[in-house]
Amino acid sequence: MTPLLKRALDQAAVWHRGQKRKYPGVDVPYMSHLAGVAVLLAKHGFDEEVIAAGALHDAIEDTGATAEDITRLFGRRVADLVLAVTEPAKSHAWEERKQRYLEQFMKNPWDAQAITIADKIDNFQSIVVCATTHGDPWPMFRRGRDTQIAGFRAIRERIVRLPPHPLIDEFERAFVEVVAAPAGPSSLEHRSA
């Protein structure tokens, strides 16, 4: 691990301190997701700035961090990548934010698209793990399973138009798994097992 990556992971842990994943009945620190995205990008050979941006990809969206903070700490390219994958302000309706995000995805450079793809893969894997280990993840999403799956299909339609890459192949496998994921054991059943 390079010093840049270590600093990015440490800073992500500080900025996201106290945030949790959407798992019923168990507190999984949000850092699990950020590390998962970074690992996926590293696995597929992306450079350290892309991996650092992957670790920091939700900082502007979900914490008090700014693009200026990221630029100062990690450089302009990392900040630009984080900005490229940041959803529009939460003052907009959920549906509008998701539509703008999809439109931006197709305009982004490949490195930013790769961060989005790794983000989705880790989210899909988390849903599958949750369903098989911790309980039904879908009630944790305000819009429910059907709306979430529709959103996943919308981003998939754009991802499959990109030139072939092993990261996209991994996305496809994760997509199939999340669509087929069972509701999962109830938290009560899991605790008594």
Side-chain angles (χ1 to χ4, degrees), residues 27-155:
D27 286 336
V28 175
Y30 195 74
M31 191 62 211
S32 165
H33 170 60
L34 304 173
V37 171
V39 166
L40 283 162
L41 293 166
K43 172 184 168 184
H44 289 282
F46 288 90
D47 68 57
E48 70 173 354
E49 290 179 321
V50 175
I51 300 166
L56 299 164
H57 78 275
D58 281 333
I60 294 172
E61 200 173 306
D62 294 341
T63 76
T66 65
E68 293 74 24
D69 294 331
I70 296 171
T71 300
R72 180 175 43 80
L73 294 168
F74 304 102
R76 179 86 258 156
R77 181 170 177 238
V78 173
D80 286 346
L81 287 167
V82 172
L83 279 170
V85 300
T86 297
E87 281 192 10
K90 293 190 179 186
S91 59
H92 298 288
W94 185 85
E95 291 79 6
E96 182 182 348
R97 288 196 328 263
K98 298 303 177 187
Q99 185 58 42
R100 285 185 180 189
Y101 187 79
L102 290 172
E103 291 166 8
Q104 182 61 43
F105 174 80
M106 293 308 291
K107 296 175 189 173
N108 281 340
W110 167 242
D111 288 340
Q113 290 174 330
I115 293 167
T116 295
I117 294 167
D119 174 37
K120 298 309 174 201
I121 292 168
D122 187 76
N123 283 336
F124 295 169
Q125 291 171 340
S126 294
I127 290 168
V128 170
V129 165
C130 185
T132 58
T133 308
H134 303 295
D136 187 353
W138 298 111
M140 305 299 286
F141 295 90
R142 284 189 212 130
R143 299 297 193 281
R145 182 187 189 281
D146 292 344
T147 301
Q148 290 297 327
I149 295 290
F152 300 160
R153 287 185 197 287
I155 191 77

